[in-house]
């Protein structure tokens, strides 16, 4: 199984642990990730707020390079995925748009190379039996509120799971031996840039996510988006202060949990890089009697 | 050589103002076969018709062409006219120089005149080829079938029975009554639904002209107007109806309890049951799928306790064939399945209910004895949110159409919540409020003003659980802001959809249905209760969403149509039907599925072939069913099928007249 790999900007900076854990997870599962040479930023929200063609052309260049190599693209970041998928669909649905984009990027891109969310690949393409077979340490003690955010499942054409009650991540965590909770905020917005530009609104949005997860009995949040993780992890302290509440809710990338269950050293996954201490819960999991005989 | 007379009408200035009618008449005189041509101000008027009759006699005409309006307008008039002059009605041909010429080419008078001449030329050519056709008569059976025993079916049956016709009502459930029996109060007067329905149910059951055939379904429909042969499957009731008195002992002793469909699964019924206490007939049926005896062979308690020996486990379905003169379909509606709405919890939250659940909750004979209680924990809700247009007017999830009744029943529910629960709050999310109808708008206003229901204009984006509350998040589009309401119960005004098997029934009967599977009327304005199949009529919500008053009105209208049909012992049939040239028909059968009226079958004929007698299949058109649409003539590969009065020869004559 080989994919072109588009890490995107976040994964070399604020979301470095997502990159580390993605590579480790892929290694264990035997997924060959070929990093797209000289990839560029997908444009994210600023791209499509500036210019429609620009927002499609930026991801198109990355997709075109992957297409030349004959590979589909594995994309960890939810925003990169949404932008790249939108580009693939725009090219596939309109010959005119395809021509326009190809002129701008000075390459051919026919939409043959597909944009794939990394979560979709790991949770849905790989049989849960294959995932289970690689588990060395069951995630006993993890009660995860799986948080999909806005971009993974919306809009319908872009999403790969039920937009109202997605289950991919929940099923993945369960096949790692962890528990998940049923909660109402799994597809609500984390606030994106709101916590920076309108802190009061942003904090309110985050508070409801923490509260809902906590009320549902979760002891951690799991995401597939560096932006969501940033808000939920880095700003959790501010929200606790503003609302005089204590959540103590570590926030994981799902790849950190796969890596942990596959027996990868926590520091190799970047689990020591979180604002809200994750190592406490990680050590509890490691100590718990969830080991599995390996062949 | 045929002698054709051409009569050009001015239609006042409708045609004459654009087309040079005198010139058209003058030109027509040179067409082959034309011996007489004249123009007149109003050809359809008495003097105009006299002119035609006189010409037929004096000029010894044997074909007539009238160049005037659309045949839809005056073909019957001119057919009668020539007939009264002793000519076969089908020797008269019309050229439409009004709709097809003067009205559409009013800016180009010369061209319109030229086109009129061409149309007349074509009509003359066809008229010469026309064959005399005779209307046939078919007998009419004085017995009607009503499919569906809801309020529409009951009303239609009563009207027909009172007019002296025998009516059979087929109902698939064990009792008549339909959806109206489940409803608590009726808008806008808030009178009790059962109180006005059950007397009608009793009237129907005791009427000497009405036979109720409950727990039965239509299996097959053969024949045609006046003579439908309908096969009805009487499902095995497992009860000897002639012996059972409906005492109910069996029902009280039956150990198997299952969700009651009538109570919207809010309470249990037994496996041997009547759907509700006022059921008609008030004799039980055994639900074999849930009966312990039928599942395991053990039990039989009902049989033991029945002192009359009315329980019969050996009963089997019975097929009965009866001939009817006319059929009324009154199969009603079902509620849209809201479990496709992920944002409202995919039907998983027990306190997110539908309007019909709510009807049962407020009904004094319902599962809560009329006390509004939450299905989840039996608590009395304080904050009740209503969401309208669930399924209706939402193409992404359901249907594009408006279900028409929801605005009123939601207003009704709101008043009932306020009346029954002290300190309750009612919130209604709506897109538009549509309360057209006598007394309806006033009722809605009272709901807002006197009962203080809060109407919020906007859609609900999400309903989710928080503790034991349901959080309803939506938008107030008038204030442009998000709203969140902590509700104890949410009631969805789900769309009205046709019965699940409506399309199958339509195919059995041979009537049309639309993309939503509602049955199609013959004309949306001028023939709203007729179908395209003669002798089949529509009543109630099977044709489209309707409330009770409308269903009753349509039922009476359908009954009036049937009375008209059944009032004569025989009827005339239109001779413009398809005919088979058996000598060239290869019996391929392509025409059979093409025919929308199920009028074509294959039959075996024997004929002599090189001295041997051989048998082969050929198409056979049932003249009673054929509506003359011509679909089969196009499908026929060997051109063995021809539509009378529009034969290939006649149409080619028109083409030749125009093009050669």
């Amino acid at each position: 199984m080989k994919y072109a790999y588009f890490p995107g900007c976040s994964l070399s900076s604020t979301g470095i642990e997502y990159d580390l854990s993605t590579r480790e997870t892929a290694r264990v599962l035997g997924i060959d990730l070929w990093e797209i040479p000289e990839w560029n930023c997908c444009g994210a929200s600023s791209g499509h707020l500036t210019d429609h063609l620009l927002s499609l052309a930026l991801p198109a260049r990355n997709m075109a390079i992957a297409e030349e190599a004959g590979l589909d693209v594995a994309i960890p970041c939810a925003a990169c995925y949404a932008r790249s998928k939108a580009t693939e669909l725009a090219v596939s649905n309109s010959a005119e748009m395809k021509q326009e984009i190809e002129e701008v990027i000075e390459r051919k891109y026919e939409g043959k190379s597909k944009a794939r969310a990394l979560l979709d690949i790991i949770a849905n393409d790989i049989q849960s039996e294959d995932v289970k077979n690689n588990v060395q340490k069951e995630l006993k003690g993890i009660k995860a509120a799986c948080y999909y955010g806005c971009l993974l499942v919306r809009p319908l054409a872009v999403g790969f799971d039920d937009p109202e009650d997605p289950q991919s991540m929940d099923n993945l965590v369960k096949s790692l031996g962890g528990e998940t909770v049923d909660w109402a905020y799994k597809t609500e917005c984390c606030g994106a840039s709101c916590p920076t530009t309108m802190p009061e609104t942003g904090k309110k949005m985050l508070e409801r996510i923490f509260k809902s997860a906590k009320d549902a009995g979760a002891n951690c949040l799991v995401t597939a988006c560096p932006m969501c993780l940033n808000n939920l992890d880095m700003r959790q302290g501010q929200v606790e202060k503003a609302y005089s509440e204590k959540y103590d809710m570590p926030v994981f990338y799902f790849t950190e949990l796969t890596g942990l269950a596959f027996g990868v050293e926590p520091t190799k996954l970047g689990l020591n890089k979180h604002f809200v201490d994750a190592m406490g819960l990680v050590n509890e999991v490691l100590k718990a009697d969830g080991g599995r005989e390996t062949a | 050589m045929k002698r054709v007379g051409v009569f050009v009408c001015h239609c006042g200035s409708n045609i004459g103002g654009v087309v040079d009618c005198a010139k058209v008449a003058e030109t027509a005189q040179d067409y082959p076969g034309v011996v007489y041509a004249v123009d007149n101000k109003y050809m359809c008027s008495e003097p105009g018709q006299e002119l035609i009759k006189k010409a037929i006699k004096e000029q010894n005409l044997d074909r007539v062409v009238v160049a005037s309006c659309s045949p839809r307008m005056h073909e019957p008039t001119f057919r009668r006219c020539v007939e009264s002059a002793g000519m076969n009605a089908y020797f008269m041909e019309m050229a439409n120089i009004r709709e097809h010429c003067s009205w559409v080419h009013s800016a180009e008078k010369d061209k319109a005149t030229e086109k009129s001449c061409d149309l007349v030329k074509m009509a003359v050519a066809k008229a010469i080829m026309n064959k005399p056709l005779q209307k046939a008569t078919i007998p009419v059976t004085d017995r009607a079938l009503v499919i569906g025993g809801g309020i529409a079916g009951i009303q239609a049956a009563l009207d027909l029975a009172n007019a002296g016709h025998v009516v059979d009502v087929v109902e698939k459930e064990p009792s008549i009554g339909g959806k109206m029996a489940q409803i608590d109060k009726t808008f806008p007067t808030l009178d009790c639904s059962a109180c006005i329905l059950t007397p009608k149910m009793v009237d129907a059951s005791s009427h000497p002209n009405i036979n109720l055939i409950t727990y039965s379904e239509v299996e097959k429909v053969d024949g045609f107007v006046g003579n439908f042969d309908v096969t009805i499957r009487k499902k095995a009731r497992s009860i000897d109806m002639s012996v059972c008195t409906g005492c109910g002992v069996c029902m009280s002793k039956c150990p198997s309890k299952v969700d009651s469909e009538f109570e919207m699964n809010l309470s249990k019924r037994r496996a041997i049951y009547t759907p509700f206490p006022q059921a008609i007939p008030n004799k039980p049926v055994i639900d074999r799928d849930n009966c312990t005896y039928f599942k395991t062979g053990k039990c039989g308690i009902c049989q033991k306790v029945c002192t009359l020996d009315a329980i019969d486990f050996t009963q089997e379905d019975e097929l009965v064939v009866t001939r009817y003169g006319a059929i009324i379909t009154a199969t009603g509606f079902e509620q849209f399945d809201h479990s496709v709405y992920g944002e409202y919890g995919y039907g998983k939250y027990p306190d997110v209910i539908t309007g019909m659940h709510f009807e049962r909750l407020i009904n004094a004979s319902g599962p809560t004895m009329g006390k509004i209680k939450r299905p989840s924990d039996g608590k009395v809700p304080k904050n009740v949110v209503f969401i309208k247009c669930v399924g209706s007017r939402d193409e992404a999830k359901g249907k594009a159409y408006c279900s028409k009744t929801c605005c009123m029943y939601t207003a009704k529910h709101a008043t009932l919540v306020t009346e029954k629960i002290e300190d309750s709050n009612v919130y209604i999310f709506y897109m538009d409020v549509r309360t057209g109808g006598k007394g309806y708008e006033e009722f809605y206003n009272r709901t807002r003003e006197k009962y203080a229901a809060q109407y919020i204009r906007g859609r609900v984006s999400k309903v989710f659980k928080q503790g034991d509350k349901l959080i309803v998040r939506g938008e107030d589009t008038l204030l442009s802001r998000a709203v969140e309401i902590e509700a104890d119960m949410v009631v969805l005004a789900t769309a009205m959809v046709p019965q699940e098997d409506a399309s199958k029934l339509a195919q059995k009967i041979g009537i049309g249905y639309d993309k939503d599977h509602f049955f199609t009327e013959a004309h949306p304005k001028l023939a709203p209760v007729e179908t395209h199949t003669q002798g089949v009529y529509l009543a109630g919500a099977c044709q489209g969403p309707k409330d009770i008053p409308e269903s009753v009105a349509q039922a009476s209208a359908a009954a009036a149509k049937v009375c008209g049909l059944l009032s004569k012992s025989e009827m005339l049939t239109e001779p413009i039907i398809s005919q088979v040239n058996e000598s060239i028909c290869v019996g391929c059968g392509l025409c059979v599925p093409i025919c929308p009226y199920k009028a074509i079958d294959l039959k075996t004929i024997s004929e002599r072939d090189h001295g041997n007698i051989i048998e082969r299949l050929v198409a056979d058109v049932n003249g009673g069913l054929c509506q003359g649409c011509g679909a089969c003539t196009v499908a026929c590969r060997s051109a063995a099928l021809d539509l009378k009065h529009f034969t290939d020869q006649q149409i080619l004559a028109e083409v030749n007249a125009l093009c050669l």
Side-chain angles (χ1 to χ4, degrees):
Chain A
M1 195 181 279
K2 186 172 181 179
Y3 285 95
Y5 179 47
F6 178 67
C9 312
S10 298
L11 270 74
S12 55
S13 55
T14 50
I16 188 144
E17 60 274 42
Y18 201 2
D19 183 57
L20 295 173
S21 55
T22 293
R23 289 178 192 273
E24 286 299 326
T25 299
R27 180 180 57 74
V28 175
L29 290 173
I31 303 172
D32 190 355
L33 293 180
W34 174 73
E35 185 167 340
I36 295 172
E38 298 191 337
W39 55 263
N40 54 271
C41 171
C42 73
S45 6
S46 14
H48 74 102
L49 282 173
T50 310
D51 180 78
H52 183 58
L53 182 59
L54 174 72
S55 75
L56 296 175
L58 281 166
R61 184 181 163 276
N62 299 324
M63 301 295 290
I65 299 172
E67 193 167 274
E68 284 157 21
L71 295 171
D72 286 347
V73 188
I75 307 172
C77 167
C80 297
Y81 166 69
R83 294 313 316 155
S84 305
K85 191 75 191 174
T87 302
E88 176 205 315
L89 294 175
V91 167
S92 307
N93 295 339
S94 158
E96 253 171 68
M97 187 48 85
K98 171 178 167 292
Q99 199 190 342
E100 218 173 324
I101 289 172
E102 285 179 340
E103 272 170 28
V104 173
I105 63 173
E106 297 177 346
R107 281 173 189 272
K108 285 254 163 248
Y109 176 52
E110 295 181 3
K112 280 186 199 152
S113 170
K114 306 286 176 208
R116 298 293 309 280
L118 184 71
L119 175 63
D120 187 19
I121 294 170
I122 292 180
N124 300 328
D125 285 13
I126 297 175
Q127 298 294 312
S128 72
E129 281 312 305
D130 293 343
V131 172
K132 277 183 196 162
N133 289 339
N134 283 302
V135 171
Q136 298 195 2
K137 189 77 203 166
E138 289 194 324
L139 300 183
K140 286 270 157 67
I142 291 281
K143 284 182 101 176
C146 292
Y147 178 71
Y148 299 76
C150 331
L151 291 171
L152 271 186
V153 289
R154 282 189 290 253
L156 204 55
V158 167
F160 55 87
D161 202 339
D162 184 332
E164 299 295 343
D165 188 13
Q167 290 295 337
S168 312
M169 210 190 303
D170 289 74
N171 291 336
L172 178 65
V173 171
K174 282 179 209 162
S175 60
L176 301 174
E179 282 178 62
T180 62
V181 298
D182 195 12
W183 67 310
Y185 277 73
K186 55 163 67 165
T187 59
E188 294 300 315
C189 177
C190 70
S193 53
C194 239
T196 313
T197 53
M198 302 165 73
E200 290 321 305
T201 308
K203 276 185 223 166
K204 177 77 194 151
M205 293 170 86
L206 288 166
E207 185 264 340
R208 297 163 64 143
I209 295 169
F210 293 132
K211 185 172 184 308
S212 173
K214 190 115 191 157
D215 287 350
N219 61 6
C220 63
L221 285 154
V222 189
T223 78
C225 172
M227 170 66 103
C228 298
L229 186 126
N230 228 6
N231 278 333
L232 294 167
D233 189 30
M234 189 169 76
R235 302 192 188 275
Q236 197 173 126
Q238 297 169 17
V239 176
E240 284 180 338
K241 209 168 151 194
Y243 286 88
S244 311
E245 277 286 341
K246 204 78 186 124
Y247 306 115
D248 270 335
M249 190 82 68
V251 192
F252 297 107
Y253 289 109
F254 73 96
T255 45
E256 291 179 310
L257 292 186
T258 47
L260 189 64
F262 295 161
V264 181
E265 198 61 36
T267 47
K268 275 195 180 173
L269 299 166
L271 279 163
N272 53 342
K273 291 181 184 293
H274 292 245
F275 286 89
V276 177
D277 175 54
M279 288 309 290
L281 185 56
V282 166
N283 285 331
E284 271 176 49
V285 171
L286 293 177
K287 263 183 256 159
D289 184 24
R292 181 183 258 240
E293 290 295 315
T294 46
Chain B
M1 192 63 196
K2 301 283 184 278
R3 296 177 61 81
V4 186
V6 174
F7 301 86
V8 185
C9 178
H10 291 247
C11 195
S13 62
N14 268 310
I15 299 170
V18 176
V19 174
D20 183 345
C21 294
K23 193 179 168 196
V24 174
E26 194 191 316
T27 314
Q29 287 189 334
D30 296 335
Y31 296 150
V34 175
V35 293
Y36 181 75
V38 69
D39 60 304
N40 186 282
K41 195 102 178 159
Y42 290 108
M43 215 43 108
C44 61
S45 65
E46 198 60 37
Q49 293 192 44
E50 279 310 313
L51 178 76
I52 297 174
K53 286 181 206 166
K54 204 169 130 217
I56 291 173
K57 293 209 174 82
E58 286 177 359
Q59 304 291 328
N60 203 17
L61 301 177
D62 52 12
R63 294 291 188 277
V64 164
V65 168
V66 182
S68 59
C69 51
S70 162
R72 298 207 78 152
M73 188 79 195
H74 273 311
E75 194 171 58
T77 312
F78 292 119
R79 276 189 183 158
R80 273 196 306 273
C81 169
V82 301
E83 214 164 22
S84 69
M87 184 186 277
N88 186 285
Y90 296 87
F91 283 158
M92 191 284 303
E93 195 62 38
M94 286 182 82
N96 182 356
I97 60 168
R98 191 177 75 172
E99 284 85 341
H100 287 179
C101 272
S102 61
W103 280 2
V104 285
H105 304 303
S106 53
E108 297 170 291
K109 297 187 176 180
D110 288 346
K111 284 188 176 174
T113 303
E114 204 181 311
K115 184 175 169 185
S116 298
C117 292
D118 283 345
L119 290 176
V120 171
K121 197 176 181 185
M122 290 164 72
V124 168
K126 175 163 185 289
I128 290 171
M129 304 300 292
N130 278 3
K131 299 273 181 294
L133 299 176
Q134 304 297 341
K135 292 195 173 193
T137 58
I138 49 170
V140 175
T141 309
D142 187 7
R143 188 183 192 101
L145 174 67
V146 174
I147 307 173
I151 182 59
I154 292 171
Q155 183 64 46
L158 283 171
D159 288 349
L160 282 166
N162 287 336
H165 303 290
V166 177
V167 192
D168 289 355
V169 179
V170 172
E171 167 59 53
K172 70 174 176 180
E173 299 297 332
S175 168
I176 58 166
K179 293 281 186 290
M180 190 176 166
Q182 287 176 276
I183 292 171
D184 180 57
K185 299 255 188 322
T186 54
F187 59 78
T189 43
L190 289 185
D191 38 0
C192 149
S193 182
C195 313
I196 56 175
L197 172 70
T198 43
K200 276 194 187 284
M201 289 167 63
V202 173
D203 286 353
S205 75
S206 57
H207 202 294
N209 282 345
I210 297 180
N211 302 304
L212 299 181
I213 312 173
T214 53
Y215 208 49
S216 301
E217 290 182 54
V218 169
E219 185 92 356
K220 194 166 158 230
V221 179
D222 285 324
F224 48 89
V225 57
N227 303 276
F228 293 105
D229 290 316
V230 182
T231 311
I232 294 165
R233 175 179 291 273
K234 293 183 167 179
K235 292 181 277 186
R237 211 170 170 114
S238 314
I239 306 290
D240 184 343
M241 293 286 275
S242 62
V243 178
C244 176
T245 59
C247 71
V249 173
C250 52
M251 296 192 273
S252 62
K253 300 290 183 200
C254 174
S256 172
K257 290 184 183 174
V258 288
D259 284 341
S260 161
E261 299 86 354
F262 185 83
E263 298 294 354
M264 301 301 292
N265 298 348
L266 292 170
S267 70
K268 302 280 181 191
R269 62 162 170 83
R270 310 297 172 110
I272 184 166
Y273 74 108
T274 57
F276 54 105
Q278 306 92 330
I280 286 180
N282 202 0
K283 296 176 184 177
V285 296
I286 294 181
D287 163 12
R288 293 187 171 187
D289 295 338
N290 291 301
C291 167
T292 315
Y293 179 84
F294 281 101
K295 284 198 296 194
T296 66
K298 292 181 196 125
C299 186
I301 290 175
C302 49
Q303 202 170 38
K304 284 171 208 140
V305 298
C306 181
T307 51
L308 297 163
D309 221 7
I311 311 285
D312 181 3
F313 293 132
T314 63
Q315 253 183 25
E316 282 176 15
D317 287 7
E318 196 188 336
L319 294 177
V320 194
V321 184
T322 314
R323 176 162 287 194
Y324 298 100
I327 299 174
I328 294 178
T329 62
T331 51
F333 72 99
E334 282 176 8
Q335 282 201 118
F336 177 77
D337 178 9
H338 67 276
S339 67
V340 298
Y341 276 84
E343 57 267 49
Y344 304 156
Y346 287 119
K348 285 185 302 197
Y349 303 137
D351 296 329
V352 178
I353 60 173
T354 69
M356 196 55 99
H357 287 97
F358 189 83
E359 294 289 346
R360 295 317 299 156
L361 282 182
I362 43 172
N363 192 289
S365 64
T368 55
M369 315 299 261
K371 285 219 155 59
I372 304 173
K373 291 178 181 172
R374 310 207 306 179
S376 64
D377 54 12
K379 282 189 193 155
V380 176
K382 286 281 178 219
N383 289 349
V384 182
V385 171
F386 291 88
I387 306 175
K388 294 209 272 190
C389 301
V390 177
S392 319
R393 306 179 70 201
D394 184 355
E395 283 180 82
K397 292 280 176 25
K399 315 284 177 186
Y401 60 83
C402 164
S403 288
K404 213 175 177 186
T405 56
C406 325
C407 282
M408 279 305 289
Y409 77 63
T410 300
K412 176 188 76 177
H413 290 170
T415 62
L416 293 172
V417 168
T418 319
E419 274 183 357
K420 291 206 171 195
I421 307 173
E422 222 180 308
D423 301 328
S424 56
N425 298 303
V426 171
Y427 306 88
I428 299 170
F429 283 90
Y430 71 98
M431 296 208 279
D432 297 284
V433 177
R434 297 176 167 178
T435 51
K438 199 171 176 179
Y440 288 9
E441 182 74 6
E442 295 90 321
F443 186 93
Y444 156 60
N445 281 333
R446 214 161 43 238
T447 309
R448 283 189 309 144
E449 286 154 16
K450 189 176 160 201
Y451 292 92
Q454 299 188 44
Y455 275 77
I456 304 167
R457 188 185 179 279
R459 294 295 281 168
V460 170
S461 64
K462 195 166 180 170
V463 177
F464 57 94
K465 265 187 96 107
Q466 203 167 79
D468 74 337
K469 298 278 184 193
L470 289 160
I471 309 297
V472 180
R473 181 190 295 165
E475 186 190 7
D476 186 331
T477 55
L478 297 182
L479 295 176
S480 287
R481 71 176 185 208
V483 277
E484 239 173 53
I485 295 164
E486 270 192 15
D488 299 303
M489 192 161 88
V490 176
V491 185
L492 309 176
T494 45
M496 279 171 117
V497 297
Q499 297 285 338
E500 203 184 347
D501 56 356
S503 57
K504 274 193 203 133
L505 181 68
Q507 287 161 13
K508 279 178 199 165
I509 307 174
I511 56 173
Y513 52 92
D514 64 19
K515 68 179 176 20
D516 299 307
H517 293 191
F518 285 114
F519 299 153
T520 318
E521 63 286 347
H523 189 284
K525 280 148 273 182
L526 300 177
V529 302
E530 292 94 327
T531 64
H532 283 293
T533 302
Q534 259 193 304
V536 181
Y537 302 89
L538 306 174
C542 62
Q543 180 254 350
K546 270 181 206 66
D547 56 16
I548 296 167
E550 270 188 289
S551 295
V552 170
Q554 198 191 14
S556 289
K561 294 284 173 188
V562 173
C563 281
L565 175 63
L566 300 186
S567 62
K568 288 167 249 152
S569 60
E570 50 184 29
M571 63 181 288
L572 288 171
T573 59
E574 183 56 58
I576 301 177
I577 58 169
S578 206
Q579 59 186 347
V580 186
N581 181 346
E582 290 180 358
S583 62
I584 55 172
C585 174
V586 293
C588 70
L590 266 182
C591 49
V592 177
I594 293 270
C595 177
Y597 307 102
K598 298 197 295 183
I600 308 180
D601 279 323
L602 291 178
K603 68 170 182 187
T604 309
I605 56 165
S606 4
E607 60 183 12
R608 194 176 287 276
D609 179 49
H610 296 97
N612 302 316
I613 301 288
I614 58 154
E615 286 197 336
R616 63 186 184 90
L617 286 172
V618 292
D620 183 34
V621 177
N622 180 326
L625 284 176
C626 177
Q627 303 285 314
C629 73
C632 57
T633 64
V634 187
C636 182
R637 301 187 297 182
S638 47
L641 281 158
D642 229 351
L643 184 63
K644 289 183 191 172
H645 206 57
F646 294 95
T647 62
D648 291 348
Q649 233 188 347
Q650 289 164 347
I651 289 168
L652 280 173
E654 288 186 286
V655 176
N656 287 342
L658 183 67
C659 305
L660 291 184

